[in-house]
Amino acid sequence: MFKNILLGIKSYSGTFKLMKELKLWKYFFIPMVISLITASLIGVAAWSLSSSFGEFIATLWIWDFGKDTFTSISTLFSGLIILVIGFILYKHIVMALSAPFMSPVSEKIEAHLTGVENHDHKKTSFNEQLWRGIKINIRNLGKELVYTLPLLLLKLIPVVNIFSAIALFLLQAYYAGFGSMDYTLERHFNYKDSIDFVRKNRGAAIGNGIIFMLFLFIPVIGIIIVLPLSVTAASIKTIGIIQKNQLEQKMLNT
């Protein structure tokens, strides 16, 4: 899987060149606006809630000794919880609402890479693409929150918290890559088969998502360009995997 993670990361090379060559930037305007607005709203909410949430947790400590220490820890922990949940909500909201704009981008990239302009894949409307994006991201949001909670609790344990932080980052990366890959998968597979595809190629999803998550740490610019880059890279990688699987299937049938 480590090799596939590296390949998923490597798929980002040449993305700017391909986006310019295919004149894709015009398709990214609305998703970039969605991304910026969503990040701003989540940032404001996190800022306003972190101290209040920390003070609420601190009230659980009823003793006088260690009160200040517990308050500091609870404030820090509440800030971490809100930050992590904010990252989770951000990517799923943006990916769900951007689906009708990202699917055509993925389709143009596939036509360019395969040389087939009029493919015979499933045709979907704007509303169908939006509903597919909402459905897949609600599913992923639920899964990610379930796995995130125990990892956050493990962060309270010294030494163990180092490994839980890495696991938490990779978990977020996986679902970020999942969402980026699904813009291509929705033309080729149904809902269940798309989930199975990503599971079998989780290394590629994690590799794509690692760069996605790192871009979010770049103020403003990262938030604006993260989706165009990740979707372009995911489309390249996903199409490559699909073609490889089709070729292997043909060889088995001959």
Side-chain angles (χ1 to χ4, degrees):
M1 188 173 71
F2 183 71
K3 179 182 177 181
N4 289 329
I5 291 176
L6 292 178
L7 290 174
I9 294 173
K10 188 179 179 181
S11 63
Y12 276 85
S13 63
T15 50
F16 276 111
K17 181 180 178 182
L18 182 62
M19 289 157 64
K20 181 180 179 182
E21 182 181 349
L22 299 182
K23 299 178 180 179
L24 299 177
W25 282 107
K26 60 184 177 183
Y27 295 96
F28 296 132
F29 177 73
I30 294 179
M32 287 191 292
V33 172
I34 292 172
S35 179
L36 192 58
I37 292 175
T38 303
S40 299
L41 292 175
I42 290 176
V44 170
W47 179 267
S48 60
L49 290 175
S50 59
S51 59
S52 299
F53 191 42
E55 291 172 3
F56 171 75
I57 295 177
T59 60
L60 300 175
W61 189 269
I62 60 176
W63 302 275
D64 291 331
F65 68 91
K67 185 71 173 180
D68 292 339
T69 301
F70 185 79
T71 300
S72 299
I73 294 174
S74 62
T75 301
L76 180 63
F77 186 63
S78 64
L80 175 64
I81 292 175
I82 291 172
L83 179 64
V84 171
I85 292 176
F87 272 129
I88 293 172
L89 290 175
Y90 162 80
K91 63 177 182 285
H92 291 300
I93 291 172
V94 171
M95 286 183 168
L97 297 181
S98 299
F101 308 99
M102 295 293 97
S103 293
V105 168
S106 174
E107 189 171 349
K108 284 184 174 294
I109 293 173
E110 181 169 3
H112 172 76
L113 295 178
T114 61
V116 180
E117 291 290 339
N118 299 313
H119 62 75
D120 56 357
H121 307 318
K122 181 176 62 176
K123 298 288 185 180
T124 52
S125 65
F126 182 98
N127 289 336
E128 288 173 330
Q129 291 166 356
L130 178 60
W131 171 240
R132 161 82 176 218
I134 292 173
K135 184 179 178 181
I136 204 79
N137 279 282
I138 287 177
R139 180 259 180 197
N140 287 351
L141 172 62
K143 289 276 188 180
E144 190 170 355
L145 288 174
V146 168
Y147 297 139
T148 295
L149 182 58
L151 290 175
L152 283 173
L153 294 176
L154 287 175
K155 287 189 67 62
L156 296 173
I157 304 175
V159 181
V160 175
N161 58 11
I162 298 174
F163 298 99
S164 66
I166 295 172
L168 187 61
F169 179 81
L170 293 177
L171 176 67
Q172 291 225 24
Y174 171 71
Y175 284 107
F178 192 135
S180 295
M181 292 174 71
D182 193 63
Y183 299 131
T184 299
L185 296 177
E186 64 95 13
R187 293 190 304 278
H188 293 267
F189 305 108
N190 60 31
Y191 178 81
K192 183 179 181 299
D193 289 340
S194 295
I195 294 173
D196 292 337
F197 181 96
V198 179
R199 281 176 180 164
K200 293 175 182 177
N201 298 279
R202 58 173 58 92
I206 292 173
N208 180 273
I210 285 175
I211 304 300
F212 182 103
M213 295 302 300
L214 291 176
F215 263 99
L216 295 184
F217 291 101
I218 303 174
V220 185
I221 298 297
I223 292 170
I224 292 174
I225 67 173
V226 62
L227 197 60
L229 290 178
S230 64
V231 171
T232 303
S235 298
I236 295 170
K237 183 59 181 174
T238 306
I239 293 163
I241 296 173
I242 292 174
Q243 288 182 314
K244 180 183 177 183
N245 291 346
Q246 290 174 341
L247 180 60
E248 290 176 349
Q249 189 62 45
K250 286 182 179 179
M251 292 178 67
L252 288 174
N253 293 337
T254 56

